[in-house]
Amino acid sequence: MLRATSELEFSNEQNTEEISQLASLVLSGDTSTGEKNSTGLPEKTGYPDSVYIMAANIFQGIRFEKSPEKVLIKYGNEPLRSLPESEDESSQRSSYELAFSALKFQDILEAILIDSCIFPSTTIPDHLSSLIIVMLYDFQDRKFEARFLSDNEEPIAEVQEVENLLNSFKIKLAAALARCRIKHDALSIYHILPETVRNQELRASTLPLYAWINTCKISPEEVYYSLKKRGYNKVKSVLHIDDKVFAVDQHCYDVLIFPSHLKNNLLNIDLFKDYKLIFQDKSRSLAVHSVKALLNMDDDILMVNTGSWYTVAHMSILTNNNTSKIFVCGVKSQAKDPDLKNLFTKMGCKNIEILHEAFLNIESKDHRLQKVKVILLLPRCSGLGVSNPVEFILNEHEDTGLLKDFSQGGTSEDKLHILVQQQYEQLTHAMKFTKAQAVVYCTCSVYPEENEGVVKKALEFQDHGIKVQPYRLSPPVLPLCSLKEIHLSTDKFFRMEPSEITNGCFLSVLTRERDPSEAVSVKDVLARAAAKGLLDGIELGKASKREKKKKKSKIPLSRAPTNDSNDIQMKIAEFLNRESNANANRSETLATKTSLPQKNTTTAGSSSQVRKPNKPTSNPLVPTFMKNTAQPRPYERQTNFVRSRPEDRVMALKPVEIVLPPVMLPFSGSQGIKSQIPTQHFYYRWVGPKTVMPNYFPSPSISRRGEKPRENLPSSLLRHPRPWL
């Protein structure tokens, strides 16, 4: 297939080209290469033949088409034959990664094929052009080394033909690649990519791994113990750590974080093989935890555009202890049902029901969805907030055409407008479900048009004609763990910007107040609690009868209990009756006490009471006529206290000492008088005349502070003529 003149042209440059290929003909932009370098694994040795075929078919569907005057290589329209058994998860991921890498360098790879004279000098069918592009990318990524062939692999004729062609042009291809790097003044063709794409690739190679715990199979403590036995240490942060460590996420208690270089090791342990730990992007865990925070025990959930089935499984695991049911809509093919049921069975999920209708075709009054209270909407978006587009396409999106946008570092205006319109239609349709009380809207986009733009527009133009409460924007139900998160959530949206520790995420919670006509009564709440075994030993029926009788007669039940539940209920009724009587006695006591501020009390002899004796003591400052008139009242109060319990009398007398204020303050020498209260001179020098004004009588608190008052004082004692001076 080679021309002799072409071989002679390159014979003089062979030594220079060999040095060039050994020096720096390594593409560092491939994600698998970044992982390989960080783990110190040997250089790549190629893919199986089936992966090349699948990658060629994917590239054929997503490649950039050029105008006729700029076409350098013609591509056929027929897909290559692929083996059915080759479409396992690992092979599919490798095929998408290889096709996406070839797409990013499509222009460069085509230029190398032209410069090396493979095109148009060789007679290769057009339908093999896509296969040549993807295999050329892998060939230069291996530094033009031979591919390792497995003995168990079945060779494919088309792959063998293209591989032989590339090996025969190895020197020319290396020289063309070196000239391309020199032309762009780049250390490698990776540096020719746009800056946004390079940053995305760099984050993808270092982004930590997130995995949630399947609590139906294992508890978090058991996971920690199992990882510790395997040499993994628990730390607060996994950034910039090359050891075997893990950390617990701050937003989701059941999510663990691992360094990126440990992925291959983790996939081989039983925790991941047995679906006890599941790798998934953190944004999906944030979404399901937001839904969980809004649920009651028996609320159903409707999930729209779930993408990865692991998201559905995570939602099921979180609601395992509830009676909630999870409806998943949008599953187009019923042929997937057996595989999905098998997956959910392995993971321990039991409350999932699949709906094959598209979401927009489901009526809001569908009888199956009458108990749906929360709708989780994960709309298809541009996904420009994620670092690994292949994982995003495989797990969260079916549109492989978005790989074009990822390869260019942005989305075109036309495509963005189409996505925004679809998101708006789905959100407004979700808000039409009259029984639903909340909608959780989550994307992986960094474009405001897809995030707050859609939410604000839907809130502004929501239908107020239906007889339900309108939706409103609610604050995030997730914890805000840093000042940056608080700042980004000031407008009630939860945002996470793309960084070295996480992908971008936007989350909004729309809620509305429950319809007052549908308010849940106390009886319904108790019935639900009894159905779940939360009210063991208490019968709800007899309790409701007692409430009806109480409303009619206002008399507590005196019927003897017949079982344990009646005994508990009777004790509760007696306690409430006793408390109400005690409160009445306390109010009566306090009113009587405040009406008699001049009454003198001392400590009683009984150890079980702290109330004062009924017999009043003589006070030299109190006139005789006041003693005679105030004496009978303590006996009246005594009868009141006899009817009450001792503990009631104790509590009623406590505020008396606080309420009664000192009455000697109006005297000019009040400070001196207070200092002389403990002395006997106080009682002989300051006895007022019988005509003294009652307003100046000392309070009982002052007499208690002094010494014991003397009784039967003589009338000839020295008196101050004007005690108010």
Side-chain angles (χ1 to χ4, degrees):
M1 295 183 184
L2 295 174
R3 295 180 181 178
T5 56
S6 300
E7 184 68 31
L8 291 175
E9 284 182 26
F10 288 96
S11 61
N12 296 329
E13 303 175 354
Q14 181 174 357
N15 294 335
T16 304
E17 293 164 355
E18 289 178 350
I19 295 175
S20 176
Q21 73 172 9
L22 294 176
S24 57
L25 291 180
V26 178
L27 180 63
S28 59
D30 182 52
T31 55
S32 59
T33 305
E35 181 181 343
K36 166 194 63 182
N37 294 338
S38 62
T39 56
L41 296 176
E43 297 293 339
K44 292 175 59 176
T45 57
Y47 297 98
D49 289 7
S50 58
V51 172
Y52 290 118
I53 295 295
M54 292 174 60
N57 290 333
I58 296 171
F59 177 81
Q60 176 69 21
I62 63 176
R63 63 181 177 82
F64 292 100
E65 296 184 3
K66 300 179 180 179
S67 57
E69 62 273 9
K70 295 182 178 180
V71 171
L72 301 177
I73 298 176
K74 294 181 180 181
Y75 295 90
N77 297 323
E78 300 178 3
L80 299 175
R81 179 182 59 87
S82 60
L83 301 177
E85 61 270 14
S86 64
E87 297 184 0
D88 60 280
E89 183 177 353
S90 177
S91 298
Q92 190 178 25
R93 178 173 287 99
S94 298
S95 301
Y96 271 92
E97 289 176 350
L98 183 57
F100 179 59
S101 298
L103 179 65
K104 291 185 293 185
F105 300 100
Q106 177 180 343
D107 292 340
I108 297 175
L109 295 174
E110 289 178 351
I112 291 175
L113 290 174
I114 297 298
D115 192 11
S116 61
C117 297
I118 289 183
F119 284 98
S121 61
T122 57
T123 57
I124 296 180
D126 293 343
H127 71 278
L128 293 181
S129 298
S130 296
L131 182 61
I132 293 177
I133 291 292
V134 297
M135 292 190 69
L136 174 59
Y137 171 81
D138 181 60
F139 193 31
Q140 62 83 33
D141 193 25
R142 302 195 315 264
K143 298 181 180 180
F144 298 97
E145 296 293 335
R147 178 170 64 108
F148 174 78
L149 299 176
S150 174
D151 297 334
N152 299 327
E153 181 184 353
E154 180 182 355
I156 299 177
E158 292 86 350
V159 175
Q160 300 297 320
E161 179 182 356
V162 172
E163 186 173 27
N164 293 333
L165 173 65
L166 295 178
N167 282 326
S168 64
F169 277 77
K170 179 171 64 174
I171 302 300
K172 298 179 181 180
L173 292 171
L177 177 61
R179 286 192 291 269
C180 179
R181 289 173 36 248
I182 294 172
K183 176 182 178 181
H184 292 87
D185 192 19
L187 295 176
S188 67
I189 60 174
Y190 166 74
H191 293 88
I192 304 176
L193 294 174
E195 184 178 1
T196 54
V197 178
R198 296 201 307 268
N199 294 336
Q200 183 185 72
E201 295 287 345
L202 181 62
R203 286 196 304 109
S205 63
T206 59
L207 190 70
L209 305 172
Y210 291 85
W212 54 270
I213 302 173
N214 185 350
T215 53
C216 283
K217 288 179 168 288
I218 192 171
S219 66
E221 291 73 18
E222 292 174 328
V223 172
Y224 305 156
Y225 178 75
S226 179
L227 290 174
K228 187 175 181 180
K229 286 177 58 179
R230 290 172 171 81
Y232 291 85
N233 297 319
K234 186 178 179 181
V235 296
K236 292 184 177 180
S237 175
V238 300
L239 286 180
H240 313 298
I241 299 180
D242 296 332
D243 298 332
K244 298 173 68 175
V245 296
F246 70 94
V248 180
D249 185 68
Q250 293 180 324
H251 298 96
C252 307
Y253 63 88
D254 62 342
V255 174
L256 302 183
I257 312 173
F258 298 90
S260 59
H261 64 85
L262 297 176
K263 185 171 185 178
N264 291 335
N265 296 334
L266 292 171
L267 288 174
N268 294 324
I269 66 176
D270 295 336
L271 290 175
F272 287 89
K273 291 181 178 179
D274 298 337
Y275 295 101
K276 296 178 180 179
L277 279 176
I278 295 92
F279 282 125
Q280 193 172 21
D281 186 68
K282 180 180 175 178
S283 63
R284 294 320 185 216
S285 296
L286 293 173
V288 296
H289 273 273
S290 298
V291 173
K292 179 64 171 60
L294 299 168
L295 288 177
N296 293 320
M297 289 292 292
D298 56 350
D299 291 344
D300 290 347
I301 308 161
L302 177 61
M303 301 184 67
V304 184
N305 293 340
T306 55
S308 173
W309 292 110
Y310 290 153
T311 307
V312 181
H314 196 182
M315 188 77 261
S316 175
I317 298 301
L318 290 179
T319 58
N320 183 57
N321 296 328
N322 300 5
T323 58
S324 303
K325 182 179 290 185
I326 301 172
F327 294 93
V328 184
C329 62
V331 182
K332 299 179 181 179
S333 175
Q334 297 184 4
K336 295 182 179 180
D337 288 0
D339 295 336
L340 294 177
K341 292 180 179 179
N342 184 35
L343 173 64
F344 293 148
T345 301
K346 290 180 179 179
M347 301 184 70
C349 305
K350 301 178 181 179
N351 56 344
I352 301 173
E353 182 172 338
I354 299 175
L355 306 178
H356 296 284
E357 301 96 326
F359 176 59
L360 296 178
N361 295 333
I362 298 178
E363 296 183 359
S364 59
K365 297 182 180 180
D366 193 306
H367 68 279
R368 298 169 296 180
L369 309 177
Q370 292 306 300
K371 291 181 62 179
V372 169
K373 300 301 180 183
V374 182
I375 300 177
L376 175 57
L377 181 58
L378 304 171
R380 294 183 177 180
C381 62
S382 62
L384 263 296
V386 302
S387 59
N388 194 331
V390 172
E391 293 290 341
F392 176 73
I393 294 295
L394 291 177
N395 296 332
E396 312 299 341
H397 216 295
E398 297 180 359
D399 186 8
T400 57
L402 287 179
L403 289 176
K404 289 184 178 181
D405 301 328
F406 282 110
S407 66
Q408 300 298 312
T411 304
S412 64
E413 291 293 335
D414 295 339
K415 183 170 291 187
L416 183 62
H417 177 74
I418 295 174
L419 291 173
V420 168
Q421 184 62 28
Q422 293 175 354
Q423 295 155 1
Y424 174 75
E425 291 177 357
Q426 291 183 347
L427 181 56
T428 53
H429 187 64
M431 297 168 67
K432 294 179 182 178
F433 285 75
T434 57
K435 298 295 184 180
Q437 299 298 319
V439 177
V440 176
Y441 179 87
C442 182
T443 74
C444 299
S445 175
V446 296
Y447 291 121
E449 295 87 343
E450 295 183 278
N451 299 333
E452 54 264 37
V454 172
V455 175
K456 291 180 179 179
K457 183 180 178 181
L459 288 174
E460 181 180 358
F461 295 100
Q462 63 179 313
D463 186 8
H464 295 279
I466 55 179
K467 297 181 180 180
V468 292
Q469 300 295 326
Y471 276 98
R472 72 181 191 280
L473 191 62
S474 296
V477 293
L478 298 169
L480 303 178
C481 303
S482 65
L483 293 177
K484 185 176 182 180
E485 291 181 4
I486 296 175
H487 175 71
L488 292 174
S489 304
T490 53
D491 52 358
K492 297 184 179 182
F493 296 116
F494 183 87
R495 297 183 184 89
M496 294 184 66
E497 295 181 343
S499 64
E500 61 180 352
I501 61 174
T502 183
N503 287 322
C505 174
F506 173 85
L507 196 144
S508 175
V509 178
L510 306 180
T511 60
R512 59 183 170 196
E513 297 294 338
R514 291 185 180 273
D515 191 344
S517 62
E518 298 180 358
V520 181
S521 63
V522 176
K523 182 179 179 180
D524 294 337
V525 173
L526 293 176
R528 293 178 183 178
K532 296 173 175 59
L534 302 178
L535 300 178
D536 294 339
I538 300 178
E539 297 182 6
L540 298 177
K542 295 184 178 181
S544 61
K545 291 180 180 179
R546 183 177 294 107
E547 291 177 359
K548 294 180 180 179
K549 292 181 179 180
K550 188 174 181 181
K551 291 180 180 178
K552 293 180 179 180
S553 60
K554 299 294 182 179
I555 299 176
L557 293 176
S558 58
R559 183 161 52 96
T562 58
N563 49 35
D564 294 340
S565 63
N566 289 338
D567 184 46
I568 295 175
Q569 296 169 5
M570 291 297 296
K571 289 181 179 180
I572 293 174
E574 292 176 1
F575 174 76
L576 294 175
N577 186 31
R578 185 169 66 251
E579 287 296 317
S580 61
N581 293 336
N583 291 335
N585 289 335
R586 291 169 190 166
S587 60
E588 179 183 356
T589 301
L590 182 59
T592 306
K593 191 71 178 179
T594 54
S595 65
L596 297 173
Q598 70 274 14
K599 191 237 171 211
N600 229 356
T601 56
T602 58
T603 306
S606 175
S607 60
S608 63
Q609 300 179 8
V610 296
R611 65 164 296 185
K612 311 306 177 183
N614 295 324
K615 181 180 179 180
T617 58
S618 301
N619 193 330
L621 297 181
V622 181
T624 305
F625 74 94
M626 288 301 299
K627 294 179 183 178
N628 296 334
T629 56
Q631 194 172 7
R633 292 198 176 186
Y635 294 99
E636 296 175 1
R637 293 181 60 198
Q638 180 184 6
T639 58
N640 295 336
F641 282 104
V642 168
R643 291 195 300 269
S644 62
R645 282 182 166 78
E647 60 269 21
D648 296 336
R649 295 196 297 272
V650 171
M651 297 179 66
L653 288 175
K654 284 183 179 180
V656 174
E657 298 182 2
I658 300 174
V659 172
L660 296 178
V663 298
M664 295 297 293
L665 293 178
F667 296 106
S668 59
S670 59
Q671 297 297 330
I673 293 171
K674 289 183 180 180
S675 63
Q676 297 178 9
I677 284 177
T679 66
Q680 296 181 358
H681 300 287
F682 172 79
Y683 300 100
Y684 291 92
R685 293 183 60 190
W686 292 99
V687 175
K690 292 184 178 181
T691 58
V692 69
M693 297 177 63
N695 293 338
Y696 293 98
F697 293 161
S699 66
S701 61
I702 296 181
S703 64
R704 285 194 300 271
R705 294 174 188 168
E707 295 182 359
K708 182 178 180 182
R710 298 188 180 186
E711 299 182 6
N712 302 322
L713 294 176
S715 60
S716 61
L717 291 176
L718 179 63
R719 296 182 177 89
H720 196 285
R722 290 182 295 177
W724 53 84
L725 295 178

